Amino acid sequence: MGSGSLDGQVGLVTGAGRGIGREIAIGLAAEGMAVALIGRTRQTLIDTLKECVHHGARGVAVTADVNNPGAVREAVRAVERDLGPVDLLVNNAGQIDRAEAPIWETDPVQWWQVVETNLRGPYNLLRHVLPGMVERGRGRVVNLNSGFALRPDGRYTAYATSKGALLRLSDNIADSVAPHGIVVLDISPGAVETDMTADLPMFRGKKDWASLPYMVAVTVEAARGRFDALHGRFLHAERDDLETLVGSAEAIRAADARTLRLRPYGPDDPMI
């Protein structure tokens, strides 16, 4: 049983029909948060909603493609009408390259679909959720990111590019939303076993998967405000000692760490 620590709050989770999004939505519901579930497949959303309601939470399932600005606008309106203002936005919906391939052998349509879902999708949600948060002077955003955002990978160029861009998007808006009481975090769950990851060539035979329940717990803690001091920063749930990071938040901000930056080659680098 949850503690009810999120009673009275509303969370919106994209890609909530399966995988990480489903488990996060259920975890938030178990803590008393009303949950709005957005995804493309109605039946999987309903299945998740049933589990959320089982915990006594209010909820609503809205079918929408996160790549469609109009559909997202109407979905957010429906959520606010049925549940109330959104306190927590979890941008989870995502895609990955269907095959390991150098960029010159990729399918251009599928490559762009990955980038759209992983970058335009979060933008669309931010565009229609942030105005309410700004008006109320509070809110939290958790972008599900990846270690791929931090390192080049020639096998999954669409996914890595989109996740790097998502991290940069969070960095770009951090200063502008902070005066309005809004916290933005990019959190990588690590390599969690889901329908999306299990069949990827790079993970075949993998046994030491990251803990999905732990990622759910991290998101719940983010909703409680545990990581507010790390606003605008990248966290890795699988690898980080998050308590240490929170304790080092002042030093992290002073060093402008946990963000994407060019590394100077030396003190005479004109980019400094």
Side-chain angles (χ1 to χ4, degrees), residues 140-267:
R140 295 185 176 93
V141 176
V142 172
N143 292 322
L144 269 288
N145 212 303
S146 168
F148 279 80
L150 309 177
R151 63 180 186 272
D153 193 294
R155 301 164 298 172
Y156 296 97
T157 53
Y159 185 75
T161 297
S162 64
K163 291 301 186 179
L166 179 60
L167 184 54
R168 175 60 74 200
L169 175 61
S170 299
D171 191 16
N172 282 332
I173 69 174
D175 287 346
S176 60
V177 301
H180 301 285
I182 300 168
V183 171
V184 179
L185 298 168
D186 276 62
I187 304 179
S188 168
V192 173
E193 186 174 17
T194 65
D195 291 341
M196 187 176 81
T197 59
D199 291 332
L200 293 176
M202 69 180 300
F203 291 138
R204 284 175 188 161
K206 184 177 178 63
K207 299 186 185 302
D208 55 337
W209 294 96
S211 169
L212 180 50
Y214 181 63
M215 180 59 202
V216 173
V218 168
T219 307
V220 168
E221 287 299 305
R224 290 174 177 152
R226 179 76 177 105
F227 308 121
D228 284 1
L230 295 167
H231 167 63
R233 310 295 158 173
F234 176 88
L235 313 179
H236 201 298
E238 181 184 15
R239 299 176 183 174
D240 284 332
D241 181 329
L242 296 176
E243 187 169 341
T244 297
L245 286 186
V246 170
S248 303
E250 185 175 345
I252 289 171
R253 289 194 301 273
D256 200 18
R258 290 301 177 117
T259 57
L260 287 179
R261 296 290 185 267
L262 283 175
R263 291 174 294 179
Y265 64 79

Side-chain angles (χ1 to χ4, degrees), residues 37-42 45 61-65 71 75:
L37 316 175
I38 291 182
R40 293 183 298 175
T41 306
R42 179 71 177 174
L45 292 177
V62 183
T63 305
D65 184 344

Side-chain angles (χ1 to χ4, degrees), residues 13-14 25 29 34 52 64-65 76 91 109-110 125-126 129-130 144 148 156 161 163 184 205 207 217 248 250:
V13 183
T14 67
C52 293
D65 184 344
V76 172
N91 277 314
V109 174
Q110 202 267 331
L125 270 299
L126 290 166
V129 171
L130 282 180
L144 269 288
F148 279 80
Y156 296 97
T161 297
K163 291 301 186 179
V184 179
K207 299 186 185 302
S248 303
E250 185 175 345

